[in-house]
Every structure is written in C-alpha cells, then in structure tokens.
Amino acid sequence: MLVVLAAYTAVVISNHGWDLLSVFFGDMATMAWPGQFNLDFLFMLTLSAIWVAWRHKFSTAGLALAFWRSSAARCF
C-alpha cells in the first residue's frame, strides 16, 4: 500500500505541484462535493487532535502529539 500511495503522490505532485493548501481550501471555496469532503476530513482531523490532547490532559507532550497526529504539521 505504501508503494501505491507514494506512486500516486508522485504523479499528483508532478501534475499539480506542492501547493496542497490552495487546492484543499480552494475546493472548499467552490462549495462542491470535493470541498465538502475536505471540510469533513478537516473536522475529523481536528476532533481526533482534540481527543488526543484531552487524553494526555492537555500536557505539553499531549499537545505536541495532537498537533503531529492531526497531520496539520505534515502540510508545512
């Protein structure tokens, strides 16, 4: 699965470049189905990050883990 994901990612990057955030939020701005999926996905990542932080009692390590696990850190 990792090989398939890496190959797919390489094709997308070669076709569209590294500019993930403008595509992600641009889809939301069009108010179409891809944007609805992106908004759902963003909320799921946010809620899971809040849950991770809560489970670690909002400690420094818990907040860092929540940020890392939310995948938001991987976009930068």
Side-chain angles (χ1 to χ4, degrees):
M1 283 193 323
L2 186 59
V3 172
V4 172
L5 181 61
Y8 191 89
T9 302
V11 171
V12 170
I13 289 172
S14 70
N15 290 335
H16 300 284
W18 284 94
D19 197 14
L20 168 68
L21 294 180
S22 69
V23 174
F24 186 82
F25 291 111
D27 282 347
M28 281 191 243
T30 63
M31 301 293 286
W33 285 115
Q36 192 273 335
F37 175 82
N38 290 353
L39 188 62
D40 262 359
F41 187 61
L42 180 64
F43 284 170
M44 188 273 306
L45 290 176
T46 302
L47 287 173
S48 65
I50 291 169
W51 181 80
V52 168
W54 173 76
R55 288 282 293 157
H56 290 273
K57 299 180 178 156
F58 296 98
S59 65
T60 303
L63 292 172
L65 181 62
F67 181 72
W68 182 79
R69 294 293 294 168
S70 73
S71 297
R74 297 176 193 167
C75 293
F76 301 105

